Amino acid sequence: MKKLAVIVPCYNEELVIAESYRRTREALQKLPVLTEIIYINDGSRDRTRLMLDEIASSDPQVKVIHFSRNFGHQPAVTAGINNCDADLAIILDADMQDPPELIPSILELQEKEQANVVYCVRKSREGEGLFKKVTAKAFYRMLNYMSDVNFPLDTGDFRLIDRKVMDQFDRFQERGKYIRGLISWVGFKQIPFYYEREARIAGETKYPFSKMWKFATTAMLYFSKKPLRLATSLGFIAVLVGIILAVWFTLGKIYGFSNAETGWTSIMTSVIFFGGVQLLTVGVLGQYVGILFDEIKARPEYIIDEKKNF
Ligand code: UDP
Ligand code: MG
């Protein structure tokens, strides 16, 4: 019999854990496969740890991984996949924005189509601010423009993956993981499943702007060299403009159609403009150097404090 694991990252989710566990368990009950839930406690500072331990001690089909501190959503999901020995896995948010009641339909679709990945596409998003909706929409489109890979739009980490994909995922060495992108990148048979994203059942988002920014830049920088190419293009344009201006002013001096001395405004403008171009391009370079620095240190992506029921 096949085994399905549900991977759930949790960070300060004391308000949703109980309900989240109840609904997930109920959805799994009816399935014709063996099931388990893997919770990753990403260094929560509230009662999440206690609550998960309690669940694990009464339900042997619940596994728990406690991180030594908060490492972030993507490392938490990575740990879930790395520690999963099931044939199939579904990645789910603890806040029930991705309803576990959909799991039977997703599994059915996977069986019918013999797909390796079923990625869930958000038809709509409930209970999220205009800012989040607009930035998320823009981000997925921008990323597709920037990168050489074509990612499905409006798709989170909520997806079903099979053993083949998990085995490939475990081979990824990079520390800055943009998981939905990497899973897309491995290939095999991937099909969409459309759903309405619901509102969080309780608590607040654990993705403040700073985390969203880090997430978005990791995706862009790890999946695209276009910012570097853009920097080169800017450099080329600047040089071209410089040459044209130099020729223009030299000829102007000889034939007397330009009086270059009175050019305070134009000098200031070009100094500021080219200064800006230089800072910008050095900044882009710096971003990639920063990534090299992080990756070359090869620190572990996460540190596990304790595992339960493994
Ligand atoms: N999460 C996590 N570590 C973090 C931030 C979030 O494990 O540092 C988990 C969180 O508990 C939730 C999921 O990742 O299960 C998605 O987070 P959230 O719902 O806050 O993000 P949003 O849906 O608002 O984008
Ligand atoms: Mg959420």
Side-chain angles (χ1 to χ4, degrees), residues 8-13 40 42 70-73 76 92-95 97 125 128 132 197 200 204-207 211:
V8 190
C10 312
Y11 177 52
N12 293 343
E13 298 286 14
I40 301 94
D42 184 13
N70 181 237
F71 280 91
H73 176 224
L92 203 72
D93 279 358
D95 60 3
Q97 282 197 280
R125 308 170 72 116
E128 284 176 315
K132 178 103 179 185
R197 187 157 163 92
R200 200 175 230 289
E204 297 200 323
T205 174
K206 306 299 177 300
Y207 257 98
K211 276 188 183 168

Side-chain angles (χ1 to χ4, degrees), residues 59-177:
D59 185 344
Q61 280 160 355
V62 170
K63 295 178 173 177
V64 180
I65 297 173
H66 293 293
F67 277 1
S68 63
R69 63 167 172 86
N70 181 237
F71 280 91
H73 176 224
Q74 300 290 293
V77 174
T78 302
I81 298 174
N82 291 160
N83 287 280
C84 173
D85 61 2
D87 307 287
L88 297 161
I90 288 190
I91 303 162
L92 203 72
D93 279 358
D95 60 3
M96 301 285 97
Q97 282 197 280
D98 313 318
E101 289 76 19
L102 298 175
I103 293 176
S105 323
I106 296 170
L107 195 66
E108 203 176 298
L109 183 68
Q110 187 270 337
E111 290 240 301
K112 202 179 98 205
E113 301 277 335
Q114 286 299 304
N116 301 93
V117 176
V118 180
Y119 56 91
C120 303
V121 184
R122 303 153 178 175
K123 276 193 291 188
S124 67
R125 308 170 72 116
E126 285 298 317
E128 284 176 315
L130 187 68
F131 179 74
K132 178 103 179 185
K133 285 186 191 169
V134 170
T135 48
K137 279 245 172 223
F139 164 70
Y140 289 117
R141 278 146 191 85
M142 175 89 171
L143 182 62
N144 260 357
Y145 165 74
M146 295 291 261
S147 70
D148 309 320
V149 193
N150 237 321
F151 302 113
L153 295 170
D154 307 321
T155 305
D157 287 328
F158 182 30
R159 58 187 63 217
L160 174 85
I161 54 181
D162 74 353
R163 192 68 253 164
K164 236 185 204 169
V165 173
M166 282 188 268
D167 286 342
Q168 293 310 317
F169 186 86
D170 289 340
R171 291 178 56 215
F172 286 124
Q173 300 283 314
E174 64 205 88
R175 266 94 200 141
K177 285 200 178 67

